Amino acid sequence: MIRIITLLSGHGLASLSTLARNLLIARLLGPQDYGLAVALVLLAAAAEMGTTLGLPQLIVSHKKGASRKFQGVLHSIQIARGLLGAVMVLFCAAPLANLLGAPEVASLLRWAAIVPLVLGFTHLDPYRAQRHRKHLPHSLVLAIPATLSVAAIWPVSAWQTGPQIMLSLLLVQACASVAVSHLISRRPYRVCLQSSQVRQVLRYGLPLMGNGILLFAVLHGEKLVAGAGLGLAEMGLLAMGFALTLTPALILARSFQAYYLPKLRQDRSPVLGLSTLLGGSYLIAVASLAPLLVPFLGAGFAGLISVIPLLACLAALRLPKSALATAALASGRTHLPAIANLPRLLALPIIWLSFGWGGGIETLIRVAILSEITGVGIGILLAHTTPFPTRDILVASVIAGLILSDQLSLATLTCVIGWTLYAVGPSPLRIRSTA
């Protein structure tokens, strides 16, 4: 229980800090300039996700993950990742500025290249502690930098204006993340290269890199399409909607993965049913609480109220999808998450076409939900999930329907019944486990 609380507190504090930062910046800037600030975040995220090789997961799950030499190889690859990410940002800055109809901000966007360059020198030793289910070091690396980035808003906003504020905060968080990772590491930082181990890392990580690119499209593609098709103000509005509903879900999904990945190395515990019920609970919480924060943002963001239930449904689907990805990582089938993310990528042209037919943000979200459901279904089929949690999926589906029908009380009652049945034992509808 203490391990779970430690893990969730670190991820939870990081989540709340990120959300607080976005809320404060959105209030300072308004939808239009917040859209440009989001563009900076997108470039930093593209560099991170487009070069991901699963190094933190590998140091936990690989049989040589505790080796000093193997850790040194991972550090060398991490530095190369940072360099590659910086180059990606420099090349993508001008095209992104042109896509958003603001070519004059290309020079500002190029400064985001410093973020991946700095993160390339992160010490990976805090992740090694998770091999022994010690989550405090990882939690500190997450929570402290995110908290510092919030504390830096006031001094930064005193001498900067506009989207430059977001750039400075991203740099503060990146530098703090690297500093904290080195300060709390138990081993000295070292780099080394060994061709055989580099090949092992690339075999493990290249499918994850492909999935990272797909995941970037999943998490941020709709924002880019909205910015190009509807304008920066609509992009800022949608990005804030994702911040309110999706950011905590991603942190919860990462906590789920960090906790269960070491466990799944030793046994194949069924995690899909648990994650599905967590998704239903999360949906209720977000649909209840997120609307309370919208008035704080100002009149420019009032349009979010009507689409929060849809955005909450979309965010809740990340939890069962993350459970499937965790099981795939534990078994070394790193290609499965990429396949499950393909439907969301293929939906982007449909969203673009819908704008020409008079569609808006609500149409975008509905298409994204359908594609995400398809991705989860494909993930379940490919993972050969047994036992199949029929009852848990049915409960979560009923909760979603009630939330979209504005029946919050009934949705909460259904959720309580679902958790009670889960605690009692396996559903008679489940397929008997063969693994």
Side-chain angles (χ1 to χ4, degrees):
M1 181 60 70
I2 294 177
R3 290 169 178 165
I4 296 175
I5 293 173
T6 301
L7 184 62
L8 288 177
S9 62
H11 285 274
L13 185 55
S15 174
L16 290 175
S17 298
T18 300
L19 181 58
R21 182 198 69 189
N22 290 336
L23 288 170
L24 291 169
I25 292 179
R27 183 172 177 83
L28 284 171
L29 302 183
Q32 184 81 13
D33 280 348
Y34 183 69
L36 290 175
V38 168
L40 287 165
V41 176
L42 291 182
L43 280 174
E48 173 66 22
M49 301 172 74
T51 62
T52 186
L53 292 169
L55 304 185
Q57 293 85 1
L58 190 59
I59 205 170
V60 174
S61 61
H62 196 276
K63 62 182 179 181
K64 295 183 179 179
S67 163
R68 293 176 184 268
K69 177 180 273 190
F70 188 70
Q71 191 176 107
V73 171
L74 295 183
H75 284 149
S76 300
I77 296 173
Q78 178 76 359
I79 293 172
R81 273 192 66 207
L83 291 170
L84 179 59
V87 171
M88 285 176 57
V89 171
L90 292 174
F91 273 100
C92 293
L96 177 58
N98 292 329
L99 178 68
L100 298 177
E104 68 278 3
V105 303
S107 58
L108 172 65
L109 297 181
R110 290 190 186 98
W111 281 101
I114 302 177
V115 174
L117 196 63
V118 170
L119 290 174
F121 294 93
T122 300
H123 203 310
L124 297 174
D125 197 53
Y127 297 97
R128 179 180 60 87
Q130 293 181 34
R131 293 179 66 89
H132 309 292
R133 301 184 187 176
K134 296 178 181 178
H135 301 291
L136 180 60
H138 177 215
S139 296
L140 292 175
V141 172
L142 286 174
I144 294 176
T147 305
L148 289 175
S149 73
V150 177
I153 290 178
W154 287 272
V156 168
S157 62
W159 61 276
Q160 284 187 329
T161 59
Q164 293 87 346
I165 297 174
M166 180 65 89
L167 175 62
S168 297
L169 296 179
L170 290 174
L171 294 176
V172 167
Q173 186 164 347
C175 292
S177 181
V178 173
V180 171
S181 72
H182 283 264
L183 287 173
I184 67 175
S185 294
R186 303 187 65 179
R187 290 179 176 177
Y189 183 80
R190 60 176 292 187
V191 296
C192 63
L193 285 174
Q194 186 174 0
S195 59
S196 61
Q197 291 187 340
V198 170
R199 287 194 295 269
Q200 289 178 22
V201 174
L202 293 179
R203 279 197 299 269
Y204 179 90
L206 285 178
L208 292 178
M209 181 182 291
N211 183 57
I213 296 171
L214 288 174
L215 194 57
F216 176 82
V218 166
L219 298 178
H220 305 295
E222 289 96 355
K223 299 174 193 174
L224 292 173
V225 172
L230 301 175
L232 279 170
E234 292 296 302
M235 176 179 170
L237 191 72
L238 181 64
M240 178 46 61
F242 280 135
L244 287 173
T245 59
L246 184 59
T247 302
L250 293 176
I251 299 298
L252 188 57
R254 293 187 191 114
S255 301
F256 190 94
Q257 183 179 103
Y259 181 76
Y260 276 100
L261 185 59
K263 292 172 66 71
L264 291 174
R265 288 173 58 229
Q266 302 168 0
D267 61 75
R268 292 293 179 262
S269 303
V271 292
L272 180 58
L274 173 61
S275 66
T276 302
L277 283 179
L278 284 173
S281 303
Y282 179 83
L283 171 56
I284 293 171
V286 171
S288 304
L289 299 176
L292 303 179
L293 297 174
V294 175
F296 170 81
L297 300 171
F301 291 92
L304 281 176
I305 294 290
S306 62
V307 297
I308 278 179
L310 285 170
L311 286 168
C313 289
L314 182 60
L317 286 165
R318 295 306 309 172
L319 296 175
K321 205 166 187 182
S322 176
L324 292 169
T326 302
L329 288 175
S331 62
R333 296 183 294 172
T334 55
H335 62 286
L336 294 185
I339 297 173
N341 279 323
L342 272 176
R344 190 84 174 265
L345 176 64
L346 297 175
L348 292 178
I350 299 174
I351 293 171
W352 177 262
L353 290 173
S354 74
F355 294 157
W357 300 331
I361 286 183
E362 185 171 333
T363 304
L364 180 154
I365 300 169
R366 290 185 184 277
V367 173
I369 289 173
L370 291 175
S371 62
E372 195 76 318
I373 292 172
T374 303
V376 171
I378 291 174
I380 292 173
L381 290 175
L382 293 178
H384 305 294
T385 303
T386 55
F388 185 76
T390 307
R391 183 185 63 199
D392 303 326
I393 292 176
L394 180 61
V395 168
S397 300
V398 171
I399 291 172
L402 291 171
I403 289 294
L404 294 177
S405 302
D406 198 24
Q407 301 291 328
L408 182 60
S409 298
L410 287 177
T412 304
L413 177 61
T414 303
C415 185
V416 171
I417 293 172
W419 280 112
T420 302
L421 293 174
Y422 184 87
V424 168
S427 165
L429 297 175
R430 291 180 186 233
I431 301 171
R432 182 177 177 83
S433 176
T434 58

